[in-house]
Amino acid sequence: MRPSAHVRTEPGERPVEQRVERPGRRSGRRPGTSGAARKAILTAARQGFAERGYDRTTIRSVAREAGVDAALVHHHFGSKADLFQAAIDLPVDPSVIVRALTEGPREEVGERVVSVFLDLWSAEAGRSAFLSLLRAAVSNQDAARALRSLITSNLLEPVARAVGRRDAALRATLAASQMVGIAMARFVVGVEPLASAPPEDLILAVAPTIQRYLTGSLRD
């Protein structure tokens, strides 16, 4: 039973019990505003998913790194899958990326795709989100679906449709396979000399392949 204390009352009144918290009892909430706690949880989750992957990142580990109770993580985000979806929210609207890829000469779309993707993966704001996706997708189907949807359906398929070629879905998946492979080798596995190659060298090497996937013949 919880300990209680009686509050002194006036004569004739019945005593009212008042709950007394145990010393050292945690409230389950991080000091400060709810918004600050939510931000701390997201920061810890992005770091955890990026560094340890989906399976090895737990609600408890995220809560510990954020300085909150695990119950507060569940309160804000629900399950680990829901937390993962919130954590991979990109700092750039996909529609903005699509416009950047489709505005310009059609014969340079391959170059723009490689350049934009390398910029996104290299920038500090997007690195943790993409690394979380890449590492988690290796072992978790939810993460793999999220990665496919982001790169294929939300980014490259609209580009393939915009350049006016048929089989946009196939072309998008071909281009995505190339870019995801480069991201894994360069940013996750660290395969040299690819990992340290200058971005301009990668653009020159990879852009013609992406160009053919998106605009050229797939049978030649």
Side-chain angles (χ1 to χ4, degrees):
M1 296 180 61
R2 299 182 184 275
S4 61
H6 289 287
V7 178
R8 180 174 296 184
T9 60
E10 297 296 329
E13 290 184 351
R14 297 180 61 186
V16 179
E17 289 191 347
Q18 177 176 312
R19 180 177 296 176
V20 177
E21 297 288 351
R22 292 184 179 89
R25 180 183 177 89
R26 297 184 66 182
S27 66
R29 290 188 178 273
R30 190 175 192 266
T33 65
S34 177
R38 192 177 192 279
K39 182 177 180 180
I41 293 168
L42 280 176
T43 299
R46 290 187 180 112
Q47 182 176 354
F49 288 127
E51 294 179 353
R52 297 186 297 274
Y54 185 90
D55 292 335
R56 294 176 57 197
T57 300
T58 65
I59 292 290
R60 288 184 179 275
S61 68
V62 170
R64 183 172 58 253
E65 292 163 7
V68 302
D69 286 344
L72 188 58
V73 180
H74 287 293
H75 170 74
H76 280 297
F77 298 100
S79 67
K80 185 170 82 166
D82 295 330
L83 175 61
F84 179 75
Q85 288 293 330
I88 63 172
D89 187 27
L90 295 180
V92 180
D93 187 340
S95 64
V96 175
I97 302 175
V98 171
R99 284 198 298 272
L101 296 177
T102 54
E103 291 177 353
R106 181 174 180 269
E107 61 273 14
E108 296 176 3
V109 66
E111 180 179 336
R112 291 196 299 275
V113 166
V114 181
S115 177
V116 167
F117 271 68
L118 288 177
D119 285 346
L120 285 173
W121 285 327
S122 299
E124 184 177 351
R127 178 186 291 271
S128 62
F130 278 112
L131 287 180
S132 297
L133 267 177
L134 289 169
R135 287 198 171 100
V138 174
S139 60
N140 182 268
Q141 286 299 314
D142 289 337
R145 281 192 292 270
L147 180 63
R148 288 196 300 268
S149 176
L150 171 65
I151 295 181
T152 304
S153 302
N154 293 346
L155 295 178
L156 292 179
E157 192 169 335
V159 174
R161 289 197 300 267
V163 297
R165 298 294 294 181
R166 300 177 60 184
D167 302 326
L170 174 60
R171 292 174 180 276
T173 54
L174 288 171
S177 68
Q178 186 82 12
M179 297 312 303
V180 170
I182 290 173
M184 287 292 295
R186 182 174 174 87
F187 298 107
V188 178
V189 183
V191 177
E192 293 291 359
L194 178 60
S196 57
E200 54 270 22
D201 289 353
L202 293 180
I203 293 171
L204 289 174
V206 179
T209 299
I210 301 299
Q211 184 74 38
R212 183 174 72 85
Y213 282 157
L214 294 176
T215 66
S217 172
L218 299 181
R219 297 181 179 274
D220 291 344

